[in-house]
Every structure is written in structure tokens, then in C-alpha cells.
Amino acid sequence: MKLFLEVLMICDEMGLIGKEMFAIDGCKLPSNASKEWSGTKADLQKKKEKMEKAIKQIIVRHQERDRTETDQAVLEKEEQYIATLKAKVKKIKTWLSDNDDKPAAAGTAPEEQHHDNESATMKTSHGVVQGYNGVAMVDSKHQVVVHAAATGGSNPQY
């Protein structure tokens, strides 16, 4: 940020910034985040509970199969699935305990994003993306970028 300001000051000293008209434009940029882990805290809590229930059901099936001696390959596959579900449950529990709710519009539940809580779900011409709204402000005289930002929402504050 400091370097950007220094470049702007040099551009201003060189007369490259007209200070009369600025153009603002933006675009929606996808983030490196999974839609699977998006939702409200209540959604993530339900997902965690569903996974915990699945783990319990698989363990009950294991115990029944242990009594009847079932195929070892099936048991190993289910053990691996249990480990995967437990890891996801742990990830959700940790995230829920470490993160506060994001601010939301009045009367709505805040959407959370497990991997990138600063990003937001946004409608685009190509569907819905999890990402950012990238905005740039350019001086009309020489097209010098005087401000740029990436915000996790469809209505950024300039």
C-alpha cells in the first residue's frame, strides 16, 4: 500500500493525474474457496451433525459385520470414509469455535465461508460464484489507477 501511494505521489508531481474526472469499474472474481463449505453457521452446524450421524451409522454396521465376518475390503473402505468424515467434522468444529458471524443485511442470516471467510457468494452472468468484487478507479487524464480494492461482497464501499 505504501508503494502504491508513493507511485501516485510521483504521478501527481509529473502532472499525470488530472483530478477532474475519475472512472470506476469492477468485476467479480472467483476465490479459491469451495461452495460446499459456504453457508450460515446453522448450515455448517447441521452439516457437522449429519456427518456425525453418518459416522455412528457406519460404526453400527461395522459392529454387525464383525459378528458375521464380512469382506475385509468393504470394512477398510468404510474405515477410510469414517476417517474422512471425522476430519471434516473436526474442521467444522474448529471453524465454528474460532470465527464470529459476518455482518449481514438486516433480517438475514450471515453467510459464512469456511476456507475464505472474506469472500462472498455473488451472482454473475455465468451463475453464482464464491469470490470477490474487484474494483479500480482510474484518472481520466492518463488512465492512472488511483485506487483498487477487492471486497467480499457485491456492493463495495469506495
Side-chain angles (χ1 to χ4, degrees), residues 20-88:
E20 292 179 20
M21 186 171 91
F22 297 95
I24 299 174
D25 197 6
C27 65
K28 294 188 172 114
L29 307 166
S31 67
N32 187 16
S34 170
K35 287 183 190 175
E36 175 189 357
W37 294 100
S38 297
T40 63
K41 278 196 159 188
D43 293 337
L44 291 173
Q45 183 69 31
K46 285 179 191 174
K47 185 179 285 198
K48 177 187 77 76
E49 290 167 3
K50 186 176 177 181
M51 288 180 197
E52 289 173 331
K53 183 178 177 183
I55 291 169
K56 289 176 185 174
Q57 290 173 342
I58 292 171
I59 289 173
V60 167
R61 283 198 313 255
H62 268 249
Q63 291 169 342
E64 291 171 4
R65 286 188 186 139
D66 284 346
R67 289 186 214 113
T68 60
E69 294 186 33
T70 303
D71 182 14
Q72 189 63 30
V74 172
L75 294 175
E76 289 174 6
K77 187 174 180 179
E78 286 188 349
E79 284 292 335
Q80 191 174 25
Y81 185 56
I82 288 172
T84 300
L85 287 177
K86 283 183 177 181
K88 287 181 177 184

Side-chain angles (χ1 to χ4, degrees), residues 45-151:
Q45 183 69 31
K46 285 179 191 174
K47 185 179 285 198
K48 177 187 77 76
E49 290 167 3
K50 186 176 177 181
M51 288 180 197
E52 289 173 331
K53 183 178 177 183
I55 291 169
K56 289 176 185 174
Q57 290 173 342
I58 292 171
I59 289 173
V60 167
R61 283 198 313 255
H62 268 249
Q63 291 169 342
E64 291 171 4
R65 286 188 186 139
D66 284 346
R67 289 186 214 113
T68 60
E69 294 186 33
T70 303
D71 182 14
Q72 189 63 30
V74 172
L75 294 175
E76 289 174 6
K77 187 174 180 179
E78 286 188 349
E79 284 292 335
Q80 191 174 25
Y81 185 56
I82 288 172
T84 300
L85 287 177
K86 283 183 177 181
K88 287 181 177 184
V89 166
K90 182 179 179 183
K91 190 185 254 186
I92 291 172
K93 280 182 179 178
T94 302
W95 190 90
L96 287 171
S97 67
D98 292 347
N99 289 279
D100 294 327
D101 286 331
K102 282 174 50 176
T108 63
E111 280 255 330
E112 306 290 350
Q113 214 301 322
H114 180 73
H115 295 292
D116 187 357
N117 202 28
E118 299 300 316
S119 67
T121 305
M122 297 183 282
K123 291 180 184 177
T124 71
S125 59
H126 301 289
V128 177
V129 298
Q130 183 72 34
Y132 297 92
N133 191 29
V135 180
M137 184 185 309
V138 181
D139 178 77
S140 65
K141 185 173 181 181
H142 287 98
Q143 303 298 306
V144 175
V145 174
V146 294
H147 179 74
T151 61

